[in-house]
Amino acid sequence: MEQVTIDVYKFEELGTEAKDKAVSYYRENWMDHNWWDSTYEDFITILNLLGFTPSTTTRHTTKGKSYEEPNIFFSGFWSQGDGASFEGYFTISETLKAVEQLKTHVGEDAVLHGIAESIQVTSQACLEALGAGWPEALGSCVIRITRPGSPRYSHEMTMDVDMEPVFDEIAYQLGDDYDKFDKHAIVNTYGEAMLSHARSLARWLYKALESDYEAQTSEEAIGDSYAANEVRFLEDGSIFSR
């Protein structure tokens, strides 16, 4: 029987080229988990505070269990068409509280504060433009954010807004007088503005995901992960299999 002695190294003991190889291996093979979960959770909280609720899709596991997956999408971070988007719904009444609710959660994020203020101002202006009697009737209407046509890309421009519930409520309230309703432009302008705000939120999400990915795949973070898992390497940066 012949014994062979092999020198193995900790990540921090590797040379530059060997470290680069170990880092690349980690990024290609150890990032296949849902590393974005915490960013999604924070984004869902932010959406809720702003008056939005992401829709979900029921998924089934191989063990016969089911769970609800939020309809949030992204691809990244280096190709044309990369970005983030989401599907869901909101009500005017909930968006009227956007600023107050958000500030208690996100602190000094100027971008989110600006989006929240724009959402609140847009909703208030719409109700005021419609005139007396409409805020209560329309405030609880569910307005859907959609991604029509099952787009192949994930960026924010795949999102659209469905204003039909608002017009349905107006028709219900006015009955035979609906033909006299002359404020379609106000409602449509509101929908377009809210879609713009939703797309701004999707852009914020994409940048948050990109930042999170870069943090998790930095050389320092990867080195910490290797150390925590007591991984050892050959001199060239290949992982040593015990």
Side-chain angles (χ1 to χ4, degrees):
M1 176 176 169
E2 183 178 0
Q3 290 185 331
V4 177
T5 300
I6 299 176
D7 293 329
V8 295
Y9 303 82
K10 296 179 181 179
F11 178 78
E12 62 269 22
E13 296 173 334
L14 295 173
T16 300
E17 291 186 6
K19 275 188 177 179
D20 290 343
K21 181 175 180 177
V23 166
S24 295
Y25 181 86
Y26 185 100
R27 290 171 178 166
E28 293 170 6
N29 297 280
W30 284 31
M31 291 297 291
D32 57 353
H33 60 287
N34 291 353
W35 57 265
W36 53 82
D37 278 350
S38 62
T39 306
Y40 271 24
E41 289 174 6
D42 189 45
F43 183 63
I44 290 171
T45 298
I46 289 168
L47 287 179
N48 293 160
L49 291 171
L50 293 174
F52 292 79
T53 300
S55 58
T56 61
T57 298
T58 302
R59 303 294 187 191
H60 300 280
T61 69
T62 55
K63 296 182 179 180
K65 296 183 178 181
S66 63
Y67 64 96
E68 296 299 314
E69 182 176 76
N71 291 332
I72 300 174
F73 313 89
F74 83 95
S75 63
F77 295 96
W78 311 277
S79 303
Q80 183 178 2
D82 282 347
S85 55
F86 66 93
E87 295 178 337
Y89 55 91
F90 64 93
T91 62
I92 298 177
S93 59
E94 289 299 315
T95 60
L96 292 173
K97 299 178 285 186
V99 174
E100 178 183 354
Q101 295 185 141
L102 183 77
K103 286 185 176 180
T104 63
H105 177 74
V106 300
E108 300 301 320
D109 191 313
V111 174
L112 282 178
H113 286 184
I115 296 173
E117 290 168 1
S118 297
I119 288 172
Q120 187 165 311
V121 168
T122 298
S123 292
Q124 189 62 52
C126 175
L127 294 180
E128 291 176 357
L130 286 171
W134 288 109
E136 183 175 353
L138 297 182
S140 60
C141 284
V142 174
I143 303 171
R144 295 176 58 233
I145 298 292
T146 65
R147 297 175 72 247
S150 300
R152 58 179 293 190
Y153 297 114
S154 300
H155 57 75
E156 73 278 4
M157 298 308 293
T158 61
M159 298 164 63
D160 205 347
V161 64
D162 178 11
M163 295 302 293
E164 284 305 309
V166 177
F167 287 113
D168 289 344
E169 178 63 26
I170 292 172
Y172 174 77
Q173 293 290 330
L174 293 179
D176 293 339
D177 292 329
Y178 179 71
D179 290 340
K180 300 177 183 178
F181 182 69
D182 60 356
K183 298 183 178 180
H184 292 82
I186 294 172
V187 177
N188 284 324
T189 298
Y190 172 73
E192 292 170 1
M194 291 301 289
L195 175 59
S196 177
H197 301 329
R199 286 173 172 169
S200 294
L201 287 169
R203 283 191 290 271
W204 181 92
L205 170 62
Y206 183 74
K207 291 182 178 179
L209 287 165
E210 186 174 26
S211 177
D212 191 16
Y213 180 82
E214 290 176 351
Q216 292 189 47
T217 58
S218 68
E219 183 174 308
E220 181 181 0
I222 290 172
D224 289 343
S225 179
Y226 277 143
N229 288 280
E230 299 183 346
V231 178
R232 296 295 182 264
F233 301 86
L234 300 179
E235 187 177 6
D236 69 349
S238 301
I239 290 180
F240 170 69
S241 300
R242 300 179 187 275

